[in-house]
Amino acid sequence: MTSQPLGFGLGRAGLTVIAHNIRDEQRWLRCQFGLGRLSRPFDTSCALRILDRHWAQTAPGYVAGDARLETAMRRFVGLPKQPYGASWWGADELSTEQLDYAALEAAASLGAGRW
């Protein structure tokens, strides 16, 4: 088990972790914190693919899209994805822009997860 707060918190048994394209997030967490597999991952990119397929079959005139985070941000938050996703997230202190980006990404992920 890791001594880092983020890794320790996410490594708790039975915790549902919601993330977009969670496989990439798990790789990063393993690399940064030595965290093993998440016990209850929920991948909003998978949820968005399922929803998109459902909407395409049931909503007249709906045009199927994709499951990228940019699409989720636009659909559920109404804003474009910001360029901060590729910035360094392992810093002791995150920039205001990173925190804003993380909040919007979380809102988009929760929007996709609640459907």
Side-chain angles (χ1 to χ4, degrees):
M1 183 64 63
T2 178
S3 63
Q4 297 288 331
L6 178 64
F8 178 76
L10 293 177
R12 291 192 341 232
L15 179 70
T16 299
V17 176
I18 300 171
H20 202 80
N21 196 1
I22 203 161
R23 288 173 295 193
D24 285 344
E25 302 297 341
Q26 283 184 297
R27 276 185 239 136
W28 188 84
L29 290 166
R30 184 173 30 254
C31 176
Q32 295 299 314
F33 302 109
L35 189 66
R37 294 182 60 84
L38 299 171
S39 63
R40 296 180 55 195
F42 183 89
D43 190 333
T44 56
S45 65
C46 291
L48 189 54
R49 283 187 202 99
I50 292 167
L51 288 171
D52 197 54
R53 192 162 185 94
H54 170 74
W55 291 327
Q57 293 176 358
T58 60
Y62 179 82
V63 177
D66 57 56
R68 295 177 303 144
L69 180 57
E70 180 177 355
T71 302
M73 295 279 288
R74 191 175 57 252
R75 183 174 289 167
F76 297 110
V77 182
L79 297 170
K81 182 179 175 204
Q82 301 298 313
Y84 302 105
S87 61
W88 174 239
W89 291 89
D92 289 335
E93 290 188 34
L94 301 177
S95 70
T96 301
E97 292 82 8
Q98 284 177 301
L99 294 172
D100 289 346
Y101 170 83
L104 290 172
E105 184 177 324
S109 294
L110 289 173
R114 75 165 195 208
W115 292 100

